[in-house]
Amino acid sequence: MPKVVDHDARRRLIIESVWKIVGRRGLAAVTMRELAAEAGFANGGLAPYFRDKDEILLAAFQYACDATERRLEPAADAGGLAALRGVCHELMPLDDTRLLEARVVIAFWDRAVHDPRLSSAYESTTHRWRTLMHDCVSRARSAGEITTPAPDERIVETLFAMVLGFQVGAVLTPGTTTGQRQLEVLEGLFASYA
């Protein structure tokens, strides 16, 4: 009787292996040979699941985004400024899980600069997150929690740039971009919007 293979489970195993390698040694260490070894496959064993390294990286990026979006939905349901705060917290690298996601996303950026397929995936993901933030800002303004005359678009872009900056900082300068420091900066911005 032929062995039944769960292709989705194998793809998840490969993606998780990418995350482990990126987390330990960065994207440059993710070779097909290293990845096969990490996932427990023979050389060439990845071919039935992914065509090439870029396809694997895209899947790893999507996996990170999907995990983030599963956390964003309940955070956004809080309403008003609490929802905006929750969305920002989920995008900020405040714990080991979100820090690993940031490492994967930063590694992805380098490849996305030269690959329209990857940059398109990034653009659509960030568009969804900006739209969610914009909705939170609008609801907070309607509730009277945001009173600044600054346009909603500027608030969203400022917060989004801050979150991306925290991702880079937490990966490259973790001693200064601590979780506590990130939260202090975010709360300082929120205070300026009241």
Side-chain angles (χ1 to χ4, degrees), residues 12-33:
R12 276 192 307 276
L13 174 63
I14 294 165
I15 291 167
E16 289 167 2
S17 297
V18 170
W19 280 47
K20 289 176 185 175
I21 295 170
V22 169
R24 283 194 315 263
R25 298 189 343 238
L27 179 63
V30 180
T31 64
M32 297 303 265
R33 182 178 303 264

Side-chain angles (χ1 to χ4, degrees), residues 23 47 95 121 128 167 173 183:
D95 59 24
R128 286 192 308 275
Q167 289 181 348
T173 56
L183 293 170

Side-chain angles (χ1 to χ4, degrees), residues 81 84 137 141 145-150 154-156 158-159 186 188-194:
L81 203 55
L84 183 60
V137 168
R141 193 179 292 280
E145 296 173 308
I146 293 179
T147 60
T148 179
R154 186 183 314 151
I155 293 171
V156 168
T158 300
L159 290 171
L186 177 66
L189 267 178
F190 279 1
S192 73
Y193 298 149

